[in-house]
């Protein structure tokens, strides 16, 4: 497509985390700067462009991410990229700009990018990636062509996952825990993430049954960070509510915990369940909107909410 010159200039890759958007975007960016015109949308892997891309030093490729230790993509980063696109000497036919975590752009960064998305310099191609497109300003979204990455069917993913992991791995559980995202499931299978997640779910059950101190639990959560624990806590609460109404549903937990959760759900006051859900969503919103909040305080508040249950 790129060699015929017919291409849209701004794309938004949407879908849940860990389902291949990033890998796709990088391969696409590589294909855009590949100098071998015979391979169409496949990078040849051996030309000068591909070699520089592989080394992360291609002068026409921009990857815009939040800096280490920060959660936002700031206006200065966007300005720098735009300046570079306009001023730099062109080496390849296209200048791909990949923005993983596009929802992390601050409002001013997004507004600055907007002007360039409206009138992009001739050969720039913006590839924005997000698993939370609802957090991107509508003005940015409306200037992009969407490419949606749906959750692939389990029947396709499970055999692939089994090939990648040792035979002892519980691929069904890994996939359920990752919300169906294959690459996230693989990451879970290779580290101790699943154990951490199981431990957190046990802690939530203990909090709900008054068997744990919320301050101690919150301090442990803090070591994992809000980015990790908030989605897990949310999925636990959703499982709890689902089990309350549809007992036969398979929760996304380890089977030992599933039994405990099922018992708990049976006694759950549904209005309490919904209150917890609201609190989880509210906590996530506060965390996403703030750059300098006290994570421990936020997590303590949430842990305490789980103890206010007297069934
Ligand atoms: Zn090439």
């Amino acid at each position: 497509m790129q060699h015929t010159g017919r291409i849209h200039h701004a794309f938004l890759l949407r879908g849940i985390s860990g389902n291949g958007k990033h890998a796709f975007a990088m391969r696409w960016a590589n294909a855009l700067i590949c100098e071998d015109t015979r391979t169409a949308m496949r990078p040849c892997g051996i030309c000068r462009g591909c070699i520089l891309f592989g080394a992360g030093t291609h002068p026409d490729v921009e990857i815009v991410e939040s800096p280490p230790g920060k959660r936002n993509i700031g206006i200065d980063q966007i300005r720098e990229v735009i300046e570079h696109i306009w001023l730099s000497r062109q080496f390849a036919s296209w200048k791909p700009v990949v923005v993983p975590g596009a929802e992390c752009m601050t409002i001013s960064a997004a507004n600055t990018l907007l002007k360039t998305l409206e009138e992009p310099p001739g050969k720039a191609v913006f590839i924005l990636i997000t698993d939370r497109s609802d957090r991107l300003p509508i003005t940015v979204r409306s200037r992009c062509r969407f490419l949606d990455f749906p959750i692939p069917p389990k029947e396709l993913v499970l055999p692939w996952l089994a090939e990648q992991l040792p035979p002892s791995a519980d691929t069904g559980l890994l996939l359920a825990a990752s919300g169906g995202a294959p690459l996230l499931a693989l990451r879970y299978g290779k580290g101790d993430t699943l154990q951490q997640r199981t431990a957190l779910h046990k802690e939530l059950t203990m909090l709900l049954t008054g068997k744990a101190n919320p301050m101690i639990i919150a301090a442990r959560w803090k070591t994992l960070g809000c980015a990790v624990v908030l989605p897990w806590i949310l999925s636990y609460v959703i499982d709890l509510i689902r089990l309350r109404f549809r007992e036969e549903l398979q929760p996304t937990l380890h089977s030992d915990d599933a039994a405990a959760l099922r018992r708990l759900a049976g006694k759950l006051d549904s209005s309490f369940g919904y209150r917890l859900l609201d609190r989880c969503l509210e906590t996530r919103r506060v965390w996403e909107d703030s750059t300098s909040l006290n994570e421990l305080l936020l997590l303590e508040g949430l842990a305490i909410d789980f103890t206010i249950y007297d069934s």
Side-chain angles (χ1 to χ4, degrees):
M1 176 168 70
Q2 75 270 32
H3 297 302
T4 63
R6 284 182 286 107
I7 196 164
H8 198 79
H9 283 273
F11 295 87
L12 180 61
L13 276 50
R14 305 185 297 184
I16 59 167
S17 169
N19 74 343
K21 300 183 298 298
H22 188 263
F24 177 89
M26 292 309 284
R27 191 164 166 83
W28 187 9
N30 188 355
L32 285 170
I33 53 82
C34 175
E35 292 166 22
D36 188 338
T37 53
R38 292 165 306 171
T39 52
M41 279 305 281
R42 283 192 309 279
C44 74
I46 51 173
C47 71
R48 181 180 55 165
C50 283
I51 289 168
L52 288 174
F53 183 89
T57 53
H58 197 293
D60 290 326
V61 179
E62 293 284 345
I63 313 285
V64 192
E65 288 177 288
S66 33
K70 297 212 166 150
R71 282 183 12 229
N72 286 329
I73 296 173
I75 186 169
D76 290 344
Q77 286 175 271
I78 298 294
R79 278 191 183 136
E80 208 173 290
V81 166
I82 292 171
E83 198 173 313
H84 185 259
I85 297 170
W86 281 102
L87 298 181
S88 69
R89 180 178 64 89
Q90 193 162 298
F91 189 68
S93 348
W94 297 99
K95 289 183 175 183
V97 179
V98 183
V99 189
E103 76 280 359
C104 297
M105 282 188 290
T106 60
I107 293 293
S108 49
N111 284 338
T112 304
L113 180 64
L114 199 58
K115 295 180 197 109
T116 310
L117 288 181
E118 276 166 358
E119 294 171 44
K123 295 295 183 181
V125 178
F126 288 88
I127 306 172
L128 276 53
I129 310 171
T130 185
D131 25 80
R132 290 292 308 277
S133 74
D134 58 308
R135 297 196 60 225
L136 266 175
I138 191 155
T139 43
V140 169
R141 278 184 276 158
S142 65
R143 277 155 186 84
C144 294
R145 181 166 292 186
F146 298 145
L147 290 181
D148 287 323
F149 284 66
I151 296 172
K154 221 162 53 172
E155 304 74 51
L156 284 181
V157 180
L158 285 175
W160 172 82
L161 205 53
E163 274 174 31
Q164 316 294 318
L165 294 169
S168 57
D170 186 341
T171 50
L173 177 65
L174 286 167
L175 195 61
S178 64
L183 296 178
L184 188 60
L186 186 61
R187 220 178 307 148
Y188 279 5
K190 286 185 170 167
D192 66 346
T193 314
L194 197 60
Q195 287 85 336
Q196 296 274 18
R197 186 176 178 277
T198 306
L200 178 131
H201 283 168
K202 280 197 172 118
E203 287 163 351
L204 289 170
T205 302
M206 285 164 70
L207 286 172
L208 281 172
T209 50
K211 290 178 185 153
N213 180 327
M215 299 303 168
I216 294 171
I217 300 286
R220 196 192 80 83
W221 291 352
K222 168 76 173 57
T223 63
L224 298 172
C226 280
V228 172
V229 299
L230 291 181
W232 291 350
I233 297 173
L234 186 60
S235 78
Y236 175 96
V237 172
I238 291 171
D239 267 351
L240 198 61
I241 294 172
R242 285 164 68 216
L243 283 169
R244 170 72 182 79
F245 294 103
R246 299 267 308 275
E247 217 176 298
E248 77 278 14
L249 281 175
Q250 262 307 314
T252 59
L253 304 165
H254 190 272
S255 52
D256 298 349
D257 306 309
L261 194 67
R262 207 176 288 277
R263 279 196 300 278
L264 208 56
K267 298 187 287 179
L268 181 77
D269 167 14
S270 52
S271 65
F272 174 76
Y274 287 122
R275 235 177 16 249
L276 269 187
L277 182 63
D278 285 345
R279 279 288 296 131
C280 288
L281 293 171
E282 169 68 8
T283 305
R284 185 178 71 174
R285 194 192 57 72
V286 169
W287 176 73
E288 284 172 345
D289 288 351
S290 166
T291 50
S292 58
L293 62 76
N294 182 332
E295 280 201 6
L296 181 60
L297 217 55
L298 189 74
L299 291 169
E300 281 175 355
L302 190 58
I304 289 170
D305 285 327
F306 277 80
T307 63
I308 309 171
Y309 177 58
D310 53 9
S311 176

